[in-house]
Amino acid sequence: MPSVAETFFTKLLAQKGQPILIAGPCSAETEEQVMATARGLQALGNIDLFRAGIWKPRTRPGSFEGMGVAALPWLQRVKAETGIPTAIEVATPRHVEEALRHGIDVLWIGARTTVNPFAVQELADALAGTGVPVMVKNPVNPDVALWAGALERLERAGITDLAAIHRGFSTFAPSRYRNAPTWILPIELKTRFPHIPLICDPSHIGGRRDLLLPIAQKALDLDYDGLIIETHPDPDHALSDAEQQVTPARLGEILSELQYRYRSSNNADYLNKAEELRQKMDVADREIVEALARRMALVEELAEYKKENNVKILQFDRWQEIFNTRTEWASKLNVNDKFVAELYKLIHIESIRKQTEVLNGRPQIDGVAHLGPGL
Ligand code: PEP
Ligand code: MN
């Protein structure tokens, strides 16, 4: 059962009234590097949790795989000397045991572990009854059910002190991001788990220092509850994720450049105007849905007609004409034509699905996704 009780994360949020800030190196490399990072972060004065990778799940063997148990006393020292609680990634029950034995405050499950329900279940069993807060990164692939499933496994094991970390998704398509953010997926997770704070990881989404600020700003604008950003005293020489790490001082600059906006406003003029505009949007949305209903009724009529005349469903010339004219209309009306292009791909896919049903007298096998995202 989802808990509405206070958790480590919700308490922090309530106390701060500001997003939770988590920072620290991708990997703990040496005691000096860990302590230098921690002191730099302590100087910022607003870091809530110190992160460091101890066991690194590297895609290929031969890369730096972390310092393991030897690094745990360094984190104990971070907490003792700076007062900042610590967090590490765990991937096996043995990791959980070692982390707790060394007084680590928060654990997280990495993207390469969230994909595997067996591994998540083993972790849930190992974490049961420990009371330790756990953060769950999204799986590597864009599958919100797998992410939700991991949270459910933990909740069922009685672990309710949870947060979700959005670190982006692997994609085959070329992208400016290291891991595409695909913001709609974390938003969907948040609607399913409104009680679980959502934290953005701009480091692993962007993979580049210059993308940290715009990604973090976007997350704040989308009402995220926190940020986790990798920091290193000498980023260029980091043993893992060198391109995306920043010094604690640079992190301080990024945090001060962010615009922190209100969730809402109590100002009466604001509330009245917002309400008036929302009511107008409700009317516009009703018109959009009614227009879609009219369009789909016409599609059905056309499908019956095609059936009588034994004519094929997809007509490329007609599709091209629809696509070109609608995006042109959009441009003229100052509506983003790329948005309208995407919308029409969806409308056309739905038209094809409906026609397939009419012509073949049975539902299409795989619904809307039948022709894939391209068409
Ligand atoms: C990390 O946070 O260092 C990490 C390995 O991230 P992810 O699991 O998101 O790849
Ligand atoms: Mn990393």
Side-chain angles (χ1 to χ4, degrees), residues 25-27 51 56 137 178 203-204 230 240-241 244-245:
C26 177
S27 307
R51 64 143 286 156
K56 299 302 296 177
K137 286 203 166 196
R178 178 175 174 195
S203 306
H204 291 91
E230 287 185 343
S240 58
D241 289 353
Q244 71 197 34
Q245 300 205 61

Side-chain angles (χ1 to χ4, degrees), residues 350-367:
E350 175 61 6
S351 297
I352 289 171
R353 188 192 66 76
K354 241 188 178 336
Q355 293 184 58
T356 305
E357 262 181 40
V358 173
L359 268 82
N360 297 337
R362 58 173 183 269
Q364 184 173 284
I365 296 167
D366 37 13

Side-chain angles (χ1 to χ4, degrees), residues 153-218:
R153 282 178 197 280
L154 292 165
E155 282 186 338
R156 281 191 186 192
I159 301 140
T160 50
D161 205 334
L162 293 169
I165 300 179
H166 169 218
R167 52 76 82 193
F169 304 90
S170 273
T171 48
F172 180 63
S175 151
R176 65 198 284 247
Y177 301 100
R178 178 175 174 195
N179 292 291
T182 322
W183 298 98
I184 192 72
L185 296 181
I187 290 171
E188 196 179 321
L189 188 89
K190 185 79 189 171
T191 58
R192 288 202 217 172
F193 297 87
H195 55 292
I196 296 184
L198 179 61
I199 293 165
C200 180
D201 177 347
S203 306
H204 291 91
I205 291 176
R208 286 174 18 193
R209 288 167 205 153
D210 61 325
L211 291 180
L212 297 178
L213 178 64
I215 295 168
Q217 183 65 59
K218 176 96 176 167

Side-chain angles (χ1 to χ4, degrees), residues 9 32 34 36 49 63 86-87 100 102 116 144 179 206 260:
F9 304 102
E32 293 67 39
V34 166
L49 196 56
S63 325
T86 56
L100 296 182
H102 288 83
N116 181 349
V144 76
N179 292 291
Y260 298 88

